[in-house]
Amino acid sequence: MAEISGARILARNLEQQGVEYVFGIVGFPVVPVAYALQKEGITFIGMRNEQSASYAAQAAGYLTGRPQGCLVVSGPGVIHALAGLANAKENLWPMILIGGASPTDQNGMGAFQEEDQVAAAKMWCKYAHRVESHDRIPYYVEQAIRTSLFGRPGPVYLDMPADIIDGRVDEETIGTAPTVGEPPRTHAEPDSVRKAIAALKGAEKPLAIVGKGMAWSRAEDEVRQFIDRTQVPFLASPMGKGVVPDDHPLSVGAARSHALQEADVILLAGARLNWIMHFGAKPRFNPNVKVLQLDSYPEQIGHNVPAEVALVGDGKAIMGQLNAELADDPWRYEAETAWRTSIAEKIAANEEAVAGMKADESAPMNYYRAFRDIADWLKPDDLIVGEGANTMDIGRTQMPNIEPRHRLDAGSYGTMGIGLGFAVAAAVCNPGKRVVSVQGDSAFGFSGMEMETICRHQLPVIVVILNNNGIGGGVAELPEDGPPPPSVYLPTARYEKIAEAFGAGSFHVEDPADLRAALDNAAALEGPAIVHVRLDPKAGRKPQVHGWLTR
Ligand code: ADP
Ligand code: MG
């Protein structure tokens, strides 16, 4: 009779269900799980904080299209990882969190790190369950993976008590569960496809908004074809960037506010009209805008703005339907319209507005000057991670994305602290590619110790820290009398020295004239590095035309 442990059964089933990467921190009682994962050929990345590990797992899920794992210890380990569950729930990204739990025969006794982890996880999970026997492991893993992936993707949780992890049973008593396949790609009602095209044909100022739902559904070929076919201008959401390349002539990214405010018909494809899109409300949007809403999640239809046409189903499938309809009955938005002209003028005016800051060679430098060199230096297939208030917002406009799923940022939940966890996942899931994580100093602080993880695994991650000394800007020196202001950090901080501690490249830039060389030298190492860039603590965004634009 061959015996098998719960840890091994779990690892086998995760592997069977397509889990390739697990990020986590070991300790009681999950050490055997991590070893079992490695035995099954799953890559285990040991990290330094469970928050980062749970962020890494969901980014890996988004990038690979399958739920990836996070493994944590009982009690505090699970609690730290809740941050990732909440972020994954908001971003609609799949992941499976596996928490060790105190032994079942100590339930309620005040066991070491005892916690009602299933209840804690439930608030953010689509599915959360305790594994109470060895023979149920295949069933629970299948349920969890399928629930995470199908419908609207999201996080799931499995609770693994110590006695299940360590306990051994006769291998023959353990059955298998079916392997979860690709989620079904449902099509929209043919009538709604015709109605959507008819509405676009009647538009004076059409606009397509391309969100990360389209990136998730791998709809880039179909969306690119649709834009090229119809010549409708498009706006990418922050992580929808790259589904259609940012350098496409129909991108209105540099005239975002104008395009949103004026458009009369919007094809809203895999994006939500939440805070990122200003709820679709005036004065940001035309109050009479007709929304043609493409979403896989029926409950999303009409959220904040009633939909003129509902295209319910999978993004790739429906964009294919729209293209097929257009192939039968070709239509393209006119080449010369007042709408196109106004967008072009706005783009030119916005570029003009930042040209002075881009050319400003004074030290310490401003954001736009820093991004001028960074954008120039980036390679088209770099994975870009962006985090921090100004660093992320300005970086989004200044760093182009050419490929889909090559940008990760604070996302729908606006989470600070995702940076290095996401960078680890981006590097692990894309062997051979370079990851560039451009972070503010405050953002970097949340997960800076993951630099050790990056160095231990020799991941090609270049962290560029744009240091304005604090949250939304700081001071050049701490006040001599009185406590440091709440939003300010140590003005003399030299974050690049953290890289030195782990043998990575370490560069410090004060003068804008030295920035490009520092970036090139970091790149030449072909390994991890930090480029620390001292900014003017008062540097900010370009002045906005309306006060409400910065709200
Ligand atoms: P963004 O931040 O880019 O606006 P959101 O995450 O807010 O993106 O919205 C993405 C939308 O895409 C969600 O409403 C989600 O239901 C939808 N979605 C997710 N997967 C698919 C898919 N395969 N096909 C179509 N829509 C999808
Ligand atoms: Mg800062």
Side-chain angles (χ1 to χ4, degrees):
M1 176 182 92
E3 283 201 328
I4 186 167
S5 69
R8 202 70 203 275
I9 303 170
L10 175 68
R12 263 189 205 173
N13 280 273
L14 289 170
E15 196 278 333
Q16 182 200 330
Q17 298 298 353
V19 173
E20 295 173 78
Y21 309 103
V22 173
F23 307 84
I25 299 186
V26 296
F28 173 79
V30 300
V31 174
V33 176
Y35 280 103
L37 293 169
Q38 286 187 329
K39 275 211 186 97
E40 293 303 324
I42 292 174
T43 301
F44 180 80
I45 306 283
M47 299 194 56
R48 306 307 300 266
N49 181 298
E50 291 93 350
Q51 269 188 19
S52 290
S54 60
Y55 296 143
Q58 66 197 262
Y62 170 65
L63 294 171
T64 60
R66 295 287 295 194
Q68 304 298 337
C70 177
L71 177 71
V72 298
V73 302
S74 47
V78 173
I79 298 300
H80 290 170
L82 296 180
L85 296 181
N87 196 64
K89 178 176 184 251
E90 282 304 310
N91 272 347
L92 315 175
W93 285 354
M95 69 172 278
I96 178 166
L97 175 66
I98 294 151
S102 43
T104 43
D105 64 355
Q106 295 176 3
N107 273 347
M109 295 177 73
F112 171 67
Q113 299 185 334
E114 182 176 359
E115 183 57 81
D116 189 351
Q117 299 167 173
V118 174
K122 239 178 201 153
M123 177 154 174
W124 295 282
C125 282
K126 292 177 79 182
Y127 178 90
H129 223 290
R130 163 162 280 208
V131 174
E132 75 290 304
S133 70
H134 289 88
D135 58 341
R136 300 280 282 164
I137 293 174
Y139 175 81
Y140 286 133
V141 172
E142 190 273 345
Q143 291 281 303
I145 295 291
R146 191 163 41 76
T147 308
S148 179
L149 183 60
F150 280 33
R152 217 174 200 185
V156 296
Y157 176 69
L158 286 183
D159 204 49
M160 288 291 290
D163 44 318
I164 301 284
I165 290 174
D166 293 326
R168 301 174 77 82
V169 293
D170 179 355
E171 204 169 338
E172 311 239 301
T173 63
I174 305 300
T176 55
T179 302
V180 175
E182 289 296 301
R185 291 193 183 271
T186 49
H187 287 73
E189 287 174 319
D191 195 41
S192 62
V193 173
R194 285 189 289 272
K195 279 189 184 146
I197 302 277
L200 280 173
K201 285 182 181 173
E204 221 170 281
K205 301 174 177 179
L207 178 71
I209 296 180
V210 182
K212 67 178 175 298
M214 303 310 273
W216 165 253
S217 92
R218 274 72 186 157
E220 50 270 15
D221 290 348
E222 290 76 6
V223 179
R224 289 174 186 198
Q225 209 190 98
F226 175 85
I227 296 295
D228 287 336
R229 216 182 249 286
T230 61
Q231 295 291 301
V232 166
F234 74 94
L235 173 70
S237 78
M239 283 195 265
K241 269 162 67 80
V243 170
V244 186
D246 278 338
D247 61 2
H248 192 288
L250 290 167
S251 168
V252 304
R256 183 180 193 270
S257 300
H258 174 72
L260 291 180
Q261 212 182 358
E262 297 281 323
D264 63 348
V265 175
I266 291 180
L267 172 65
L268 180 69
R272 286 174 287 183
L273 295 178
N274 57 14
W275 65 277
I276 291 183
M277 287 297 166
H278 324 286
F279 315 107
K282 65 174 189 183
R284 284 289 207 156
F285 279 67
N286 174 346
N288 301 315
V289 65
K290 289 182 183 161
V291 175
L292 320 174
Q293 191 174 2
L294 187 171
D295 205 293
S296 57
Y297 188 64
E299 286 88 332
Q300 188 64 32
I301 301 296
H303 187 236
N304 292 331
V305 177
E308 179 83 5
V309 178
L311 296 160
V312 179
D314 174 69
K316 186 178 176 73
I318 297 175
M319 290 311 297
Q321 285 179 285
L322 290 167
N323 287 334
E325 184 74 20
L326 287 162
D328 287 349
D329 182 13
W331 167 80
R332 65 169 47 198
Y333 180 62
E334 289 159 66
E336 310 226 348
T337 62
W339 180 225
R340 285 203 201 286
T341 312
S342 74
I343 291 171
E345 282 169 4
K346 198 71 200 173
I347 290 174
N350 284 343
E351 273 161 13
E352 179 67 30
V354 299
M357 286 192 275
K358 274 187 173 175
D360 181 353
E361 296 295 332
S362 53
M365 71 191 97
N366 73 68
Y367 282 102
Y368 293 88
R369 173 62 187 85
F371 278 118
R372 188 185 97 194
D373 278 1
I374 296 169
D376 214 47
W377 163 81
L378 283 170
K379 294 188 290 188
D381 69 340
D382 283 341
L383 284 121
I384 300 174
V385 179
E387 179 184 29
N390 279 329
T391 301
M392 183 174 74
D393 289 343
I394 300 171
R396 194 178 58 236
T397 67
Q398 303 298 308
M399 295 186 291
N401 284 94
I402 307 304
E403 301 289 337
R405 297 172 297 283
H406 276 55
R407 178 185 166 84
L408 299 167
D409 68 20
S412 302
Y413 206 33
T415 306
M416 291 300 122
I418 46 83
L420 292 190
F422 279 8
V424 166
V428 169
C429 296
N430 290 282
K433 285 196 183 181
R434 189 173 74 171
V435 179
V436 177
S437 185
V438 186
Q439 298 173 256
D441 57 317
S442 135
F444 175 78
F446 285 89
S447 65
M449 200 46 75
E450 299 302 340
M451 227 22 233
E452 190 277 332
T453 307
I454 287 168
C455 292
R456 182 167 17 102
H457 289 274
Q458 278 301 303
L459 301 175
V461 176
I462 299 177
V463 180
V464 181
I465 300 173
L466 298 188
N467 185 353
N468 68 345
N469 177 234
I471 301 167
V475 293
E477 281 172 44
L478 290 179
E480 274 176 27
D481 43 356
S487 61
V488 158
Y489 295 123
L490 199 62
T492 51
R494 294 283 298 266
Y495 293 103
E496 82 284 3
K497 300 219 182 262
I498 292 174
E500 227 173 281
F502 307 121
S506 165
F507 302 88
H508 175 69
V509 181
E510 301 262 352
D511 189 327
D514 300 330
L515 177 55
R516 180 58 197 248
L519 292 167
D520 286 337
N521 290 336
L525 296 174
E526 293 185 359
I530 294 181
V531 180
H532 178 243
V533 182
R534 183 85 70 209
L535 291 191
D536 177 353
K538 297 275 166 276
R541 285 174 73 178
K542 83 174 163 64
Q544 300 288 310
V545 192
H546 307 287
W548 44 260
L549 282 174
T550 49
R551 281 205 293 271

